[in-house]
Amino acid sequence: RRGTWALHTVNERLERLDEACTVIKRLYTETKTSFDGRFYQLDDASLEPKPVQRPLPLLIGGGGEKVTLKITARHANEWNVWGDPDILAHKMAILDRHCADLGRNPKDIQRSAVALLFMSDDSAYLKRMRAAQPAMPHLIGTVDEIRALVQRYQDIGVNELIVPDFTLGPMEQKVKTLDRFITKVASR
């Protein structure tokens, strides 16, 4: 029907992503781009102005081991996924194998992770948070415990850790927690 969007299957969306990455990278680098793909067709298309950053980093997020990580190995400058260090170490090994299969140096792909932050000196609060076991990857603990958890990410090769602020409470508390995280954890 007119005006509706087809969501397609997961496989079809991933096939589109793979092809779109090729198109985007070519548009960033070529003066005129022609492309005749299964999903996208371009005839002497141009993209101006070109990105100042060369190459403009392409970030792909997701942890699907058979397809998404293969697309990441083929196209990405950075990979991002929600996960704890054990999950990330497992998925990074798979990403590295996909890179090897493609003849790409895995070190050419920056690795970033996302985890919720629950940092406090209040032992009762930390006990409640640990018992709740948030469904998403998380960092729960005191400053020293969080510092040790962040070190584990660094030890396995994560270049960037993203900490969303939506679990940190009202704005004043968010700022206080993030400032504390920056000065007591991230700066070390």
Side-chain angles (χ1 to χ4, degrees), residues 29-144:
T29 58
E30 297 173 0
T31 305
K32 297 282 184 184
T33 302
S34 294
F35 185 84
D36 187 22
R38 181 171 165 211
F39 305 105
Y40 305 102
Q41 294 77 41
L42 301 174
D43 186 23
D44 283 338
S46 63
L47 174 70
E48 297 296 337
K50 296 287 185 225
V52 173
Q53 215 173 333
R54 297 206 186 240
L56 184 66
L58 180 61
L59 182 146
I60 295 177
E65 297 175 5
K66 293 178 185 170
V67 180
T68 304
L69 291 179
K70 192 177 284 186
I71 294 169
T72 301
R74 188 173 11 266
H75 298 290
N77 303 95
E78 182 174 343
W79 168 65
N80 178 267
V81 71
W82 285 81
D84 64 31
D86 294 334
I87 290 170
L88 265 84
H90 170 77
K91 293 193 180 286
M92 288 165 68
I94 293 168
L95 175 59
D96 292 351
R97 283 196 300 274
H98 287 310
C99 286
D101 291 345
L102 295 168
R104 183 166 185 205
N105 184 347
K107 292 182 192 271
D108 290 343
I109 302 173
Q110 296 293 303
R111 284 99 194 286
S112 61
V114 185
L116 301 177
L117 176 64
F118 302 94
M119 185 174 70
S120 176
D121 294 322
D122 180 344
S123 59
Y125 168 77
L126 294 175
K127 184 177 180 179
R128 282 194 316 275
M129 294 315 301
R130 287 184 178 110
Q133 281 295 306
M136 301 172 98
H138 52 273
L139 306 165
I140 300 174
T142 63
V143 167
D144 289 339

Side-chain angles (χ1 to χ4, degrees), residues 139-154:
L139 306 165
I140 300 174
T142 63
V143 167
D144 289 339
E145 291 168 325
I146 299 296
R147 193 178 299 132
L149 290 168
V150 170
Q151 184 63 52
R152 286 188 60 213
Y153 282 95
Q154 187 174 4

